[in-house]
Amino acid sequence: MARRKATQSIQEFPLIRQLQRRHERRSPLIRKGIGDDAAVVSIPAGDWAVLTTDLLTEGIHFNLHTASPASIGYRAAMANLSDIAAMGSTPRFLLISIAIPAAIRTADIHALYRGLMSACDQHDVRLIGGDTSSSRRGLFLSITLLGTTPQGHALFRNGACVGDGIYVTGTLGDSLAGLQLLTDHHAPHRGTRLTKTDRDFLIERHRHPTARVREGLWLNQSQLATAAIDLSDGLSGDLRHVCEASRVGAVIDLARLPISSACRAYADRQKTDSGALALAGGEDYELLFTVAPRDEQKLERQARTRRFQVTKIGTIRPRRFGLQTVASDGTKAPLPVTSYRHFT
Amino acid sequence: MARRKATQSIQEFPLIRQLQRRHERRSPLIRKGIGDDAAVVSIPAGDWAVLTTDLLTEGIHFNLHTASPASIGYRAAMANLSDIAAMGSTPRFLLISIAIPAAIRTADIHALYRGLMSACDQHDVRLIGGDTSSSRRGLFLSITLLGTTPQGHALFRNGACVGDGIYVTGTLGDSLAGLQLLTDHHAPHRGTRLTKTDRDFLIERHRHPTARVREGLWLNQSQLATAAIDLSDGLSGDLRHVCEASRVGAVIDLARLPISSACRAYADRQKTDSGALALAGGEDYELLFTVAPRDEQKLERQARTRRFQVTKIGTIRPRRFGLQTVASDGTKAPLPVTSYRHFT
């Protein structure tokens, strides 16, 4: 947080200080916020610190021509909140670093921060610092989020055991469908028409995903999950991470994948398979987690009480089994390897 | 720390995972290092967490044509270590995010990490995570460092009181002299020749500055400093930050500025004033701190015992006094406003 003097656009710096001060909120846990060499915060007694960071680069993770600065900021914050949620932890403090090219309008930077902070405000996350720089080469955004969790209690990727049920929160594929609607809007409607409600729902799920922080805290506190990850790369990729970390295999029951009616309608229109969207779609920011067989009933009961949508979509198998899908007709196939393209 | 799939240079990702794993070290405080949704660490019981972050952008903070990747990495880590030192805290955990353009050689990325970790290894700082991305627009590096300090004990900028002595560690201006030697090497020698020893010393002070972590810990634990900051922008700029935060003025005695014999020899050669180098020179990463009059003797005694070089260079004055310098002949002048250009 040293305040480096840059060789250009030094007039940006008062703007950022103004932005950071505008978005700074008091908290009894913050001993020193923005404006010293470093921020100083209290960690609740006996808690572990949980840290995640993301670097977002123009032309790779976002494109200012097709996404609004507010949406870029919102989604950047939500991606980090989702990582903390996947650890079953409470997100608390945010650091924002930003490299700003000369061509960017001040209003766009304001909007980016508004987006970032609107995601954080939902979870009482406080801005405590960051760094700013000019950039000769496009906009870069780096976010670090600090969460906390009671000592000895965190959800990891590596705890899945053979026989565990595989669950997800919410519905899958909506964000990818929303992204396709935003970027392929000149594509012909191949099937039935999509209602405005469905279209708006899918685009909203892409633009404003919700990190499953409450669900993560519940899974951690209840000790019902044996492993967890957030779905940022898509079910197909992220399940692979859990299985690699846990040294197990898995089978996914395609008929059980939770797919919204809007996503089904979109898949119908595109004459595509909604299951494929659900497997490949990234940035849903739902949680994927595993549950020991003896706890599955208890988990489902607690989820109903709390009004959390959770769906069992498969089972952990021995490693030699690999990763498979099973269709409603019983056809088995290897889980596809997909690479989600985070670009809007 | 979600593993985003980028649209190009995806072959970089195994490299980074390999690098991060190579530089990962065990520690009983690390509950989960690289490879989950987030890192999980223990904070010593009752300690505060201290967080700093820096974003370094190609063409602004460094230039791959004139600085080696190892030196860029080393100095990036040291800048963050210095921020933690200025808070009187123990640096502990590092997150590295890096956006890599296609044109960068693998060997350069290896060297950048080696530089980063060689700075961290000096202070037992552990790599716990980060993020990686391709970049269409140059190399970007974002570093976050987490330190800890016993609850209630941290050095801030805002504690300086009227009458306090102003001190610095080490010598000032060496890094700027070293930078000028590196970048202006075709400039004619205007005065006396510089010995190879002096030249090497100044360049080394620029390339491999030392964060004053031990000195910061001593100042914090001994409760002898009323305020502290690290000299990253230069004495002139950083003293201003302390005075603004503490709502005070200051007078600096130019004759007392600690200047190395190498820096004096360089200034002679350049027919320039070594005091001006000391005031303007950034990235010395020495500490500037203030001490109540009743503690000055004790401080100087303890510094001698510990073999820390500290020099009293001035006195805190009332705010209306502003920021002044006084020369050896008693001439007073306003403290110059300088803007250090962090570019090599």
Side-chain angles (χ1 to χ4, degrees):
Chain A
M1 254 177 302
R3 297 204 189 136
R4 289 205 171 67
K5 307 294 190 298
T7 52
Q8 60 166 19
S9 300
I10 195 119
Q11 68 280 8
E12 300 286 4
F13 290 73
L15 162 72
I16 296 295
R17 275 203 283 275
Q18 176 195 337
L19 275 164
Q20 294 215 330
R21 288 191 190 282
R22 173 178 302 171
H23 293 292
E24 199 172 21
R25 303 269 183 282
R26 284 174 181 278
S27 156
L29 293 178
I30 302 176
R31 304 300 168 156
K32 185 61 74 173
I34 296 162
D36 214 298
D37 291 292
V40 181
V41 295
S42 283
I43 301 290
D47 272 18
W48 282 343
V50 183
L51 284 143
T52 183
T53 189
D54 268 328
L55 179 62
L56 291 95
T57 72
E58 188 177 348
I60 302 286
H61 299 104
F62 60 86
N63 185 329
L64 286 165
H65 300 296
T66 56
S68 76
S71 158
I72 291 165
Y74 180 95
R75 289 169 58 227
M78 209 46 89
N80 283 275
L81 288 162
S82 182
D83 280 329
I84 298 293
M87 307 300 288
S89 305
T90 306
R92 295 197 182 269
F93 306 111
L94 185 76
L95 300 151
I96 303 174
S97 292
I98 185 166
I100 307 168
I104 296 253
R105 294 179 314 155
T106 304
D108 286 344
I109 300 298
H110 275 282
L112 184 81
Y113 265 75
R114 271 203 310 278
L116 273 161
M117 295 315 299
S118 79
C120 288
D121 287 345
Q122 293 176 28
H123 299 283
D124 265 342
V125 168
R126 305 302 165 99
L127 180 65
I128 57 167
D131 191 20
T132 55
S133 164
S134 309
S135 169
R136 294 185 190 278
R137 319 268 184 104
L139 183 68
F140 282 69
L141 184 63
S142 173
I143 291 177
T144 302
L145 189 55
L146 172 69
T148 60
T149 193
Q151 231 173 74
H153 293 275
L155 299 175
F156 298 127
R157 294 179 179 180
N158 64 356
C161 297
V162 173
D164 286 359
I166 302 170
Y167 285 79
V168 290
T169 60
T171 55
L172 307 181
D174 297 330
S175 178
L176 178 55
L179 172 59
Q180 290 182 355
L181 283 167
L182 283 169
T183 50
D184 304 341
H185 51 281
H186 297 302
H189 292 196
R190 282 178 231 147
T192 54
R193 280 185 62 82
L194 201 62
T195 65
K196 184 171 182 307
T197 310
D198 284 346
R199 185 186 157 81
D200 290 350
F201 170 83
L202 295 171
I203 289 176
E204 182 64 11
R205 284 276 284 165
H206 177 73
R207 286 200 173 139
H208 294 110
T210 305
R212 298 301 184 189
V213 173
R214 289 185 312 137
E215 289 83 343
L217 284 170
W218 159 59
L219 291 171
N220 189 12
Q221 286 161 4
S222 65
Q223 302 189 43
L224 289 169
T226 53
I229 194 171
D230 73 312
L231 295 177
S232 52
D233 288 347
L235 173 58
S236 177
D238 290 318
L239 174 63
R240 207 169 297 273
H241 295 319
V242 169
C243 288
E244 279 168 13
S246 301
R247 299 169 181 275
V248 293
V251 60
I252 295 297
D253 187 344
L254 294 177
R256 292 199 191 184
L257 292 177
I259 295 167
S260 67
S261 57
C263 187
R264 281 188 204 283
Y266 172 78
D268 283 351
R269 192 194 74 158
Q270 298 296 111
K271 303 257 185 247
T272 186
D273 176 27
S274 62
L277 281 173
L279 288 178
E283 298 191 314
D284 280 319
Y285 297 119
E286 299 295 346
L287 297 181
L288 179 148
F289 57 99
T290 54
V291 180
R294 64 174 180 283
D295 288 331
E296 289 186 12
Q297 278 200 334
K298 189 173 170 192
L299 175 108
E300 292 176 18
R301 205 168 49 239
Q302 287 195 13
R304 273 194 301 276
T305 313
R306 287 171 170 75
R307 297 172 192 271
F308 291 150
Q309 183 182 352
V310 302
T311 309
K312 183 174 176 180
I313 61 167
T315 308
I316 295 294
R317 291 290 173 88
R319 194 177 195 180
R320 64 176 183 281
F321 188 89
L323 282 87
Q324 289 204 332
T325 58
V326 56
S328 51
D329 63 1
T331 316
K332 287 182 179 157
L335 186 73
V337 177
T338 58
S339 173
Y340 180 69
R341 195 162 161 265
H342 292 249
F343 194 97
T344 60
Chain B
M1 254 177 302
R3 298 205 190 135
R4 288 204 172 68
K5 306 295 192 295
T7 52
Q8 60 166 21
S9 298
I10 196 120
Q11 68 279 11
E12 300 287 4
F13 290 75
L15 162 71
I16 296 295
R17 276 203 283 275
Q18 177 195 337
L19 274 165
Q20 296 216 328
R21 288 192 190 280
R22 171 177 304 172
H23 293 291
E24 199 173 21
R25 304 271 182 281
R26 283 173 182 280
S27 156
L29 293 178
I30 302 175
R31 304 301 169 156
K32 185 61 74 172
I34 296 162
D36 214 298
D37 292 292
V40 182
V41 295
S42 283
I43 301 290
D47 273 17
W48 282 343
V50 182
L51 284 143
T52 184
T53 189
D54 268 328
L55 179 62
L56 291 94
T57 71
E58 188 177 348
I60 303 286
H61 299 104
F62 60 86
N63 185 329
L64 285 165
H65 301 295
T66 56
S68 76
S71 158
I72 292 165
Y74 180 94
R75 290 169 58 228
M78 209 45 89
N80 283 275
L81 288 162
S82 183
D83 281 329
I84 298 294
M87 307 300 288
S89 305
T90 306
R92 294 195 182 272
F93 306 112
L94 186 76
L95 301 152
I96 303 175
S97 292
I98 185 166
I100 305 168
I104 297 252
R105 295 178 315 155
T106 304
D108 286 344
I109 301 297
H110 275 283
L112 184 81
Y113 265 75
R114 271 202 311 278
L116 273 161
M117 295 315 298
S118 79
C120 288
D121 287 346
Q122 293 176 27
H123 299 283
D124 265 343
V125 168
R126 306 302 166 100
L127 180 65
I128 57 168
D131 192 20
T132 55
S133 165
S134 308
S135 169
R136 294 185 191 278
R137 317 269 183 106
L139 183 68
F140 282 70
L141 184 62
S142 173
I143 292 178
T144 302
L145 189 55
L146 173 70
T148 59
T149 193
Q151 233 175 72
H153 293 276
L155 298 175
F156 299 127
R157 294 179 178 178
N158 65 356
C161 296
V162 173
D164 286 359
I166 302 170
Y167 285 79
V168 291
T169 60
T171 54
L172 307 181
D174 297 331
S175 178
L176 178 55
L179 173 60
Q180 290 183 355
L181 283 167
L182 283 169
T183 50
D184 303 342
H185 50 283
H186 297 303
H189 292 195
R190 283 178 233 146
T192 53
R193 280 185 63 82
L194 201 62
T195 65
K196 184 170 181 307
T197 310
D198 284 347
R199 186 187 156 81
D200 289 352
F201 170 82
L202 295 171
I203 289 175
E204 182 64 11
R205 284 275 285 166
H206 177 72
R207 286 201 175 138
H208 294 109
T210 306
R212 299 300 183 189
V213 173
R214 289 186 312 137
E215 289 84 342
L217 285 170
W218 160 58
L219 291 172
N220 188 13
Q221 286 162 3
S222 65
Q223 302 189 44
L224 289 169
T226 53
I229 193 170
D230 73 312
L231 295 178
S232 54
D233 289 347
L235 173 58
S236 178
D238 290 318
L239 175 62
R240 209 170 295 275
H241 295 320
V242 168
C243 287
E244 279 168 12
S246 300
R247 299 169 183 274
V248 293
V251 59
I252 296 297
D253 186 344
L254 294 177
R256 292 198 189 186
L257 293 177
I259 296 167
S260 67
S261 57
C263 188
R264 280 188 205 281
Y266 172 77
D268 284 350
R269 192 194 74 156
Q270 298 298 111
K271 304 256 187 249
T272 185
D273 176 27
S274 62
L277 281 172
L279 287 178
E283 298 189 315
D284 280 318
Y285 298 120
E286 299 295 345
L287 297 182
L288 179 148
F289 57 98
T290 54
V291 180
R294 66 174 180 284
D295 288 331
E296 289 186 12
Q297 278 201 333
K298 190 173 170 190
L299 174 107
E300 291 177 18
R301 204 167 50 237
Q302 287 196 12
R304 273 193 302 275
T305 311
R306 288 171 171 74
R307 295 172 193 268
F308 291 150
Q309 182 183 353
V310 301
T311 309
K312 183 173 175 181
I313 60 166
T315 308
I316 295 294
R317 291 290 173 88
R319 193 178 196 180
R320 65 177 183 280
F321 189 89
L323 283 86
Q324 289 202 332
T325 59
V326 56
S328 50
D329 62 1
T331 317
K332 286 181 179 162
L335 186 74
V337 178
T338 56
S339 174
Y340 180 70
R341 195 163 162 264
H342 293 248
F343 193 96
T344 60

